[in-house]
Amino acid sequence: MGSSAVAKSFEMIILSRLLVGICAGLSSNVVPMYLGELAPKNLRGALGVVPQLFITIGILVAQIFGLRSLLATEGGWPILLGVTGIPAAVQLLLLPFFPESPRYLLVQKKDPTAAKNALRTLRGWADVDSEIEEIQQEDEAERAAGFISVVKLFRMRALRWQLISVIVLMAGQQLSGVNAIYYYADQIYLSAGVNTNDVQYVTAGTGTVNVVITFLAVFVIELLGRRVLLLLGFSICCIACCVLTAALALQDRISWMPYLSITCVITYVIGHALGPSPVPALLITEVFLQSSRSSAFMVGGSVHWLSNFTVGLIFPFIQVGLGAYSFIIFAIICLLTTIYTFMVVPETKAKTFMEINQIFAKMNKVSEVHPDKEELKDLPPSTLGQ
């Protein structure tokens, strides 16, 4: 993309954006899955939030470089687009030195020696027998299942509530209006009297808030748990959307309402960064076992990007039709997702994958030995007693 100006070819930008989109789609699924599989259970939540933290950092860096005083100029935009290649080059240099997922090596490749070596590399100590034993329990529990495809995933009763939860949370994450808030934010800032040239700095300030709260989530997720952060985050977003609707409807009558609108935008960003943004991808890793995890990420990723596309496509029309009341729709979605989370989604903090699987086994009302040899086949007695 950086050389498109020199080549005078807009086709290069289109093709490059396609390739960057493919990379972003793959990374958004593979990175949280990889980190979730290699993390110890007491740090799984924190490591699971780290990908979202770096996404927010990337957004902030783009907002800063995209300031009109920096690279958002006629001569600077090729450099702005070309900067994308720097983190990609760093990844290409470093990724070959990363160990393979120990779970993948033991459960799917059936190579316990390689799994042990990978764990020793990751942990930095030799005694990894307890973790290997836990992975072997997972392997024994799903030994007969083999690889579970997306089609089989939808057919398996033993995975019903896990799949529904992933779909609801990933759809709720995007349909809650996070992109609509950013889309509408500039107009809110302008209505509050922010100078047109200064809106870009306020937007970057909002991006900074996003980074700070996501950074905070890295540390509190193992303290408060996934469920609490989801409930808290979606509740804050719901309230922010309701108050924002009232503020937008009354901003022509009450002089201080535009400032309340700005407060609502920032509050919404804080709420979304606490739970709805980082937690759903982490939960996909935790609620599925190795044989079905990759297919679950395919479903979750598809729901995520389709919901993202839907909001971007229809929100301008919603805004024209409903005006100030557009955000009531997002408030309702946040409320429904909060209710679902409260009633269905269990806490997974400090639990092994097998313990989480047992919680959902009760919800799905499946027996210990499923007749179709599903994920709970031959569950070890030591795990059943927990």
Side-chain angles (χ1 to χ4, degrees), residues 349-362:
K349 179 184 71 172
K351 291 181 172 65
T352 66
F353 292 139
M354 292 304 302
E355 290 169 340
I356 297 167
N357 199 268
Q358 275 298 287
I359 295 173
F360 277 99
K362 295 177 182 178

Side-chain angles (χ1 to χ4, degrees), residues 19 26 65 91 165 197 209 278 299 335 375:
L19 295 175
L26 289 173
F65 284 170
Q91 285 182 316
S165 297
N197 291 327
V209 172
V299 174
L335 177 61
E375 287 205 351

